[in-house]
Amino acid sequence: MKTIYLLLFLFSSIFANDAVHDFAPSSECKECHAQIYSEFYTSMHANATPSQDPIHKAIWDRDPMNKKFNRYVCGKCHTPAADNLDKMLTNGEKALPDVNNPTHQEAISCAYCHRIQSIEKHPQSNTNIISKTPNSYYGTSKQGLESPYHKIITDNNEHMQNGNICIGCHSHNVNKAGLNLCSSNVNDEMSDANCVSCHMPKVKGSKSSISDTGTHSFHGFAGSHFHSDMLTKYVDISILRNIDNFIVNIDNRSSHALLLHPLRVAILKISVQRANETIKLPKEVFVRVIGKDGKPAMPWIADSTIKDTMIKANEKREVKRDFKLQNGDRVDVVLGWFLVNPKVVKKLGLENEKAATEFHVFKKQSFTF
Ligand code: HEC
Ligand code: HEC
Ligand code: HEC
Ligand code: HEC
Ligand code: HEC
């Protein structure tokens, strides 16, 4: 008997969604948290589903868990408010994403995030432990704050503010071959910044329509799809002119690599403006390619990183160009990215998706000599 109980306990703690897996829909928060809602609504957290995110869909469509096993394992992080998440995560069950199930379309909802009580560490990926009280939300204010609609829990403020709440999904995602597909380097702590302070900075506007707090934490989650302008201050670009060459320095002051997902490719474009002439210099590519037997491969097949030129956490990367600058020259640099490596866009059937094909300009700077 003992072992059975233990097993049951183990399962309930891994999935952490027994009987309490019922979340208020985000639209219910809109009435009183209008501004936070409108930011959230257009963010990738609200759109992390196969039906809303064509890039996610393209990979999911090809994943053997889809066609062969009919089980949306991605739901653990992409649709964690789904009412059948336990089935999505249980061997032998079948549970595919369903556009007609509103709990699937909630994606990473307000109530889900605000009920993450703690994080359980696991080697493959961490697990969010959800509080069992459906209408109580973890907040950040001092004790005594009240809402007519829900309870506010204030004894877990630090976990909300220091980014611990993010690492259930963002810490690591290790595939069956043991390869970490995506990691935000959570151990590389910074003293003055964390996931929340960088990605949810304070912006104008009250946190609720009931009191005027002046500012609130940005819920559009600045990132590689949207609002990257809010993060440019963490990446500095400078130029060092030498006699026969020059060096572009990229100083990544964030606690993780410039881009994290292996589909991404960052590019530094460099050109020199001399009088009326524009001289294009070779571009620099920053990428992490995953694969098997030395060849690029899909995430469920890959067992190693076959190439990694991505700019790392806190790295200052030097990009040298053997070009002799003259007085009066202007060097224009553009740092940006493709969300999907152009080499695989066609293979993934994403050639008509703007999000996958457009070059996203992150930072543009000019230096005159
Ligand atoms: C452990 C949590 C976790 C699981 C499980 C997970 N993902 Fe993700 N996924 C993430 C996070 C976090 C991001 C955002 C990473 C980033 O932007 O660097 C992401 C981003 C993505 C992206 C990029 C989307 C875009 O718009 O650029 C794709 C594609 C993707 N995931 C596919 C999948 C598929 C397919 C599965 C299931 C087979 C899956 N993921 C399972 C956490 C997870
Ligand atoms: C009827 C209005 C109303 C609705 C609906 C509502 N809230 Fe609130 N909420 C408030 C008020 C009032 C406060 C207290 C803050 C204030 O006075 O501005 C608050 C505070 C919070 C806090 C804590 C803020 C802090 O500073 O610590 C969180 C978290 C929160 N709400 C989440 C939600 C979520 C999630 C939903 C939807 C499921 C929701 N609220 C729906 C009125 C509402
Ligand atoms: C329940 C899992 C989960 C939690 C908790 C979570 N995220 Fe995410 N996050 C994701 C997934 C999945 C994606 C990718 C969605 C996609 O592209 O389809 C994502 C995407 C992002 C992005 C990329 C946005 C963009 O525009 O590209 C940022 C930034 C981000 N998350 C920051 C955070 C921060 C900060 C926290 C903590 C406050 C957090 N996340 C908590 C699952 C989660
Ligand atoms: C990915 C996780 C995540 C999601 C999704 C999310 N929040 Fe938050 N929320 C946070 C974190 C983390 C903080 C604390 C921010 C800080 O300390 O600066 C926060 C803060 C708040 C606050 C306190 C006021 C403030 O701005 O600091 C309110 C109110 C709130 N959220 C409501 C909502 C509502 C309503 C939604 C949906 C429309 C939502 N949240 C979606 C993580 C999330
Ligand atoms: C010092 C600021 C800083 C801190 C701390 C930080 N980030 Fe970032 N993050 C950035 C910058 C800069 C980028 C790259 C620009 C962009 O994506 O817009 C980025 C990009 C991302 C992306 C998108 C990557 C991709 O490939 O699409 C995700 C997801 C993300 N961060 C999550 C996190 C999480 C989770 C944490 C905490 C563990 C965190 N970040 C801590 C600054 C920071």
Side-chain angles (χ1 to χ4, degrees):
M1 258 336 255
K2 238 183 182 166
T3 35
I4 292 173
Y5 273 124
L6 198 76
L7 264 177
L8 278 177
F9 174 74
L10 208 78
F11 270 100
S12 67
S13 80
I14 284 178
F15 304 142
N17 60 345
D18 45 297
V20 293
H21 215 75
D22 182 11
F23 298 94
S26 299
S27 57
E28 280 184 17
C29 323
K30 190 178 172 182
E31 186 192 335
C32 307
H33 301 290
Q35 198 162 348
I36 289 181
Y37 179 82
S38 64
E39 289 163 0
F40 162 80
Y41 189 70
T42 54
S43 76
M44 284 320 290
H45 283 148
N47 293 286
T49 62
S51 58
Q52 294 294 109
D53 178 358
I55 302 176
H56 176 52
K57 182 178 187 299
I59 300 288
W60 167 242
D61 281 352
R62 288 156 181 81
D63 194 307
M65 282 316 275
N66 185 350
K67 297 260 149 52
K68 222 164 136 191
F69 300 103
N70 297 287
R71 202 150 60 74
Y72 185 56
V73 286
C74 328
K76 183 177 182 184
C77 305
H78 285 259
T79 64
D83 56 3
N84 60 342
L85 182 69
D86 53 348
K87 283 206 169 118
M88 292 175 175
L89 303 183
T90 307
N91 271 333
E93 293 281 358
K94 287 188 189 324
L96 286 171
D98 178 2
V99 273
N100 297 315
N101 180 333
T103 67
H104 289 199
Q105 296 314 304
E106 284 286 312
I108 302 150
S109 69
C110 310
Y112 180 85
C113 232
H114 280 280
R115 277 175 57 195
I116 299 176
Q117 187 179 339
S118 58
I119 311 296
E120 215 173 64
K121 306 252 160 99
H122 291 277
Q124 202 175 0
S125 67
N126 291 340
T127 295
N128 296 318
I129 303 301
I130 302 299
S131 82
K132 298 203 188 301
T133 29
N135 219 20
S136 294
Y137 301 119
Y138 293 108
T140 56
S141 294
K142 289 193 190 79
Q143 249 178 327
L145 194 71
E146 278 182 27
S147 151
Y149 178 73
H150 54 74
K151 290 207 177 67
I152 299 169
I153 315 169
T154 50
D155 62 4
N156 221 1
N157 284 0
E158 214 194 314
H159 148 84
M160 294 294 294
Q161 286 162 320
N162 66 12
N164 191 52
I165 183 189
C166 316
I167 67 168
C169 305
H170 281 274
S171 165
H172 54 281
N173 189 4
V174 177
N175 72 2
K176 287 218 172 82
L179 176 69
N180 192 353
L181 299 171
C182 192
S183 165
S184 53
N185 224 24
V186 288
N187 295 328
D188 194 354
E189 280 181 19
M190 297 178 81
S191 54
D192 53 347
N194 62 49
C195 320
V196 171
S197 67
C198 287
H199 290 281
M200 301 180 74
K202 295 277 179 227
V203 292
K204 274 196 192 134
S206 184
K207 62 183 170 187
S208 85
S209 48
I210 291 177
S211 57
D212 185 7
T213 57
T215 62
H216 66 281
S217 307
F218 184 63
H219 275 68
F221 301 92
S224 57
H225 289 71
F226 304 120
H227 310 290
S228 66
D229 52 309
M230 293 171 117
L231 292 165
T232 50
K233 64 177 174 207
Y234 298 110
V235 181
D236 292 333
I237 303 178
S238 58
I239 287 193
L240 180 69
R241 178 186 177 185
N242 294 321
I243 294 173
D244 295 320
N245 61 51
F246 68 91
I247 292 166
V248 182
N249 284 304
I250 304 174
D251 188 2
N252 175 20
R253 293 188 294 103
S254 45
S255 56
H256 55 68
L258 180 65
L259 294 172
L260 306 167
H261 200 277
L263 273 174
R264 320 277 190 240
V265 182
I267 289 172
L268 178 73
K269 296 179 181 176
I270 310 169
S271 63
V272 177
Q273 191 67 35
R274 178 170 291 169
N276 290 329
E277 191 192 0
T278 306
I279 307 156
K280 274 197 182 168
L281 298 180
K283 64 183 184 210
E284 190 79 7
V285 176
F286 311 105
V287 68
R288 172 175 172 250
V289 183
I290 56 169
K292 192 179 161 76
D293 304 326
K295 287 196 202 95
M298 286 297 210
W300 51 91
I301 297 167
D303 63 3
S304 51
T305 297
I306 60 172
K307 180 180 176 185
D308 191 357
T309 55
M310 188 52 76
I311 304 172
K312 307 287 177 322
N314 289 306
E315 185 191 339
K316 200 175 215 169
R317 181 69 61 91
E318 294 185 356
V319 177
K320 188 173 149 203
R321 288 293 170 264
D322 289 316
F323 183 92
K324 200 171 170 169
L325 289 174
Q326 295 176 0
N327 287 345
D329 282 351
R330 191 186 76 214
V331 181
D332 296 326
V333 294
V334 178
L335 178 64
W337 53 75
F338 292 103
L339 288 172
V340 177
N341 191 330
K343 286 187 181 151
V344 297
V345 161
K346 261 220 172 108
K347 208 172 148 194
L348 292 172
L350 285 167
E351 60 272 32
N352 297 322
E353 290 293 344
K354 199 171 162 246
T357 55
E358 90 183 328
F359 181 70
H360 182 112
V361 174
F362 176 57
K363 201 161 188 170
K364 234 182 188 169
Q365 240 167 292
S366 295
F367 303 85
T368 306
F369 294 88

